[in-house]
Amino acid sequence: MAKLYYRYGAMNSGKTTALLQAAYNYEERGQRVLLVKPAVDTKGDTRVVSRLGVSRPVDFTVAPDDGLRQAFASRRAAVLYEHGQDVAALIVDEAQFLTGAQVDDLLRVALLDGVPVLAYGIRTDFRTQAFPGSLRLLEIAHSLEELKTICRCGSKAMFNGRRIDGAYVFDGDQVAIDGQAVEYESLCGKCYLRESGGVLQPV
C-alpha cells in the first residue's frame, strides 16, 4: 500500500536537500517522480533550491484554489504518454503552504491512486503557530519524521525566528518570502523565549 509521508523540521534542517536526494534515489533506479510545490512559494521561482546550492525544476505548481489530485493526474498521464512509464512517487516541497484540502488530496493520491507521496515542510511559523498544510499532514500522514537541526546555542532547534532589518519580530503575515530584509533563524525553545520576551504567540 502506498503511503503519505511527512518529513518536517525547523529552518535549515536540510529538508530540501533530503527531498532532492529522495528524487535522485528514485531516478538513479530508473523510476520517474513528479516534483510539486505551492505557487505561493516564489523562492527559486519554479525550482526547488537547497541552501547547499543544489536545485532542480519542479514539474508543476499548485495555487491555493487548485485541486492537487487533479493536477497530479494530468501530469501523471503526460508522463505515461511521453515516456511509457508510470510515476513512482509524488514529492512535495514546502508542503506547509498547501491548504488542508490539498493535503487531503495527497492522501487520496497515495491510497486511491497507489502512488507514494513524500511531503517536506516546516511545522510552525515564526509565531509558533502551525501552518494549515502542516497541521493537516500531522493529522493524517501515515509516517512522520522530524529532520533535526541545532540552535545557535547548540540545543535542538524547534522554532523559526523572523528578523526584519536585523530585529526579531513576532507578529505579521504568516508568509513573507519575498521581502529582501526578511531573514529566519532556527531557535531552540529557550532562545526563542529569550528573544520574544517570554511570549510564544502574539495576543
Side-chain angles (χ1 to χ4, degrees), residues 2-169:
K3 295 181 179 181
L4 170 58
Y5 301 84
Y6 186 38
R7 297 169 179 167
Y8 66 92
M11 302 284 287
N12 301 314
S13 60
K15 296 179 300 299
T16 303
T17 302
L19 177 154
L20 292 170
Q21 182 67 51
Y24 176 81
N25 289 346
Y26 274 100
E27 293 169 343
E28 186 182 35
R29 290 158 178 80
Q31 298 178 314
R32 294 194 175 275
V33 299
L34 284 176
L35 184 54
V36 60
K37 74 173 186 174
V40 69
D41 176 29
T42 56
K43 173 175 53 70
D45 296 321
T46 57
R47 300 185 70 82
V48 170
V49 181
S50 164
R51 283 182 168 78
L52 295 182
V54 183
S55 69
R56 67 173 282 169
V58 298
D59 295 289
F60 64 105
T61 62
V62 288
D65 293 333
D66 291 344
L68 203 157
R69 187 183 180 204
Q70 182 179 7
F72 167 72
S74 176
R75 294 297 304 177
R76 182 186 190 184
V79 168
L80 192 58
Y81 176 77
E82 293 170 14
H83 304 283
Q85 185 179 13
D86 201 1
V87 173
L90 175 62
I91 303 179
V92 187
D93 190 33
E94 303 291 1
Q96 72 272 8
F97 296 140
L98 296 176
T99 66
Q102 288 171 334
V103 172
D104 289 350
D105 269 349
L106 294 182
L107 186 65
R108 294 184 186 101
V109 168
L111 295 181
L112 302 181
D113 301 332
V115 177
V117 179
L118 287 66
Y120 295 78
I122 60 178
R123 186 176 54 176
T124 58
D125 64 15
F126 70 105
R127 303 165 301 183
T128 71
Q129 296 175 348
F131 287 94
S134 296
L135 181 60
R136 191 63 178 143
L137 280 160
L138 291 169
E139 290 171 338
I140 68 171
H142 293 96
S143 172
L144 301 172
E145 179 184 351
E146 184 179 14
L147 303 176
K148 299 176 179 65
T149 190
I150 60 170
C151 176
R152 61 193 179 199
C153 71
S155 298
K156 174 188 165 185
M158 294 176 55
F159 301 118
N160 304 295
R162 178 186 285 178
R163 291 194 304 265
I164 297 180
D165 295 324
Y168 282 94
V169 296

